[in-house]
Amino acid sequence: MKREKTLQVYLGSIAIGGCSPVSVESMGRVYPGRVEESLNEIHAAALVGSDCFRIAVPDEGALSGIIQLKKHSPLPLIADIHFSPVIALKAAQAGIDGIRVNPGTWKNQLQYHQLIERLQAGNGVLRLGANTGSLPSHLQKKGRVEALLDSIIEMLEVPQKKDFHRIILSAKSTDINETIEVYERLADTFSYPLHVGLTEAGEGFEGIIKSTIALGTILQKGIGNNIRVSLTSPNPILESQVAVEILRGVGLRQKGIEVISCPTCARTRGDVVSFVKEIKEVIRLISSPSPLKLAIMGCEVNGPGEAKEADLGIAFGKSTALFFVRGKVIKTVHQQDALPELIKQLQSMISHQMEKE
Ligand code: SF4
């Protein structure tokens, strides 16, 4: 898959665009004035693979919160600001890594000039994000894709006149086909890096499937530098995990541990479903410097053969678990000892990787 080359910008410590890997953004649920809770969300998102974090800043209390968070956050922060240019100006002044501005909710031209000047004076990034849910009123008679694109074009006039190019673009729709079309056209028209997302994808598996189709298709076309999955969920963990798996699925994220597991069938010799849940809980807390594939298979008949590509795996036998490394059986343990043994083998594999580095 050939990637569309864009300009590269630095959002805090991470590079977005150019040759840099596609990164994951997730978004906070907690009001940022509740600094400790908000920080916990950021850490949780970082742990499951998020690279940057967006926070809604609806008022001055939230602004004080995000300024506090900036001092402690392990991830670069983007302040998501609507209707309040004054808060956007203050956030830019405070050195928040990125300011998300929505063409449909920004009315003041003078303050937009001031915002660009403030970003220009520091290191801040302008994240220009249009959304079908908040299209500017004068564009609403147009088709939604045209309106999204035109709203971006209009908002680019001021930064381009000022020769300010630390910009990331996004234009999100709730519709999969519109989202794919608009990102194709953004990639054809602009050289700025693109943040890709399907807005308001929904809850549970419907939201996950819709996001996977839209983002997977766009990424497969070589488009997109940063992604967010927008799910109705109480915290940003699931959306971060889904985004990471989408990247992994299209071969754009190699780091970390990937778990492959069989669907189970009448031949299954152990509780694969519970075992997979337990090992996934454990590996959430383990970081691997190189990509590792872990296979959990329900029987010894097809286990090692089906998972030849896995670095490490187990296949359940009659009250036993066979351990295999790249398809070759290395030992057999009782099923009740399988989880601790798998963790031990995994840690030893990771230690070897680290020694080699
Ligand atoms: S690995 Fe064994 S238990 Fe799992 S689906 Fe295949 S045949 Fe069934």
Side-chain angles (χ1 to χ4, degrees), residues 131-308:
N131 189 300
T132 47
S134 48
L135 290 167
S137 49
H138 68 284
L139 296 174
Q140 281 179 4
K141 284 201 179 118
K142 292 195 159 200
R144 300 203 316 168
V145 170
E146 296 305 323
L148 284 169
L149 290 166
D150 284 359
S151 71
I152 294 276
I153 290 167
E154 286 178 2
M155 290 294 276
L156 278 173
E157 247 176 60
V158 172
Q160 286 183 331
K161 266 189 197 145
K162 290 182 185 293
D163 204 18
F164 176 80
H165 301 288
R166 250 184 345 260
I167 297 171
I168 299 170
L169 303 179
S170 73
K172 300 186 187 179
S173 164
T174 50
D175 179 89
I176 294 173
N177 293 323
E178 278 179 3
T179 300
I180 295 168
E181 185 188 341
V182 82
Y183 276 97
E184 282 177 323
R185 292 183 59 186
L186 282 173
D188 282 346
T189 314
F190 304 107
S191 53
Y192 297 114
L194 300 179
H195 163 85
V196 179
L198 177 82
T199 193
E200 294 132 20
E203 194 268 343
F205 72 88
E206 288 129 319
I208 294 171
I209 290 168
K210 283 163 70 181
S211 301
T212 306
I213 295 169
L215 274 60
T217 305
I218 292 164
L219 291 165
Q220 280 287 6
K221 289 173 185 280
I223 298 169
N225 310 93
N226 176 262
I227 63 168
R228 185 204 170 196
V229 170
S230 306
L231 296 178
T232 306
S233 63
N235 62 56
I237 294 174
L238 181 62
E239 68 178 44
S240 313
Q241 289 171 318
V242 173
V244 167
E245 288 309 321
I246 291 173
L247 289 183
R248 229 197 281 276
V250 292
L252 289 170
R253 184 162 290 211
Q254 267 88 37
K255 64 184 176 183
I257 303 167
E258 179 183 3
V259 179
I260 54 172
S261 53
C262 83
T264 77
C265 71
R267 205 182 283 142
T268 308
R269 303 284 211 141
D271 186 355
V272 173
V273 177
S274 304
F275 195 89
V276 169
K277 269 194 187 141
E278 285 177 67
I279 193 67
K280 283 183 102 172
E281 275 306 304
V282 174
I283 62 172
R284 265 194 340 120
L285 308 170
I286 300 177
S287 74
S288 165
S290 311
L292 263 182
K293 216 177 244 185
L294 194 61
I296 316 294
M297 313 304 282
C299 76
E300 73 275 50
V301 179
N302 291 331
E306 279 184 13
K308 270 202 189 97

Side-chain angles (χ1 to χ4, degrees), residues 303-333:
E306 279 184 13
K308 270 202 189 97
E309 300 302 312
D311 296 290
L312 172 65
I314 65 164
F316 288 117
K318 195 177 175 192
S319 65
T320 59
L322 271 74
F323 277 73
F324 50 91
V325 171
R326 291 172 200 103
K328 288 211 170 88
V329 176
I330 54 157
K331 73 191 300 186
T332 304
V333 302

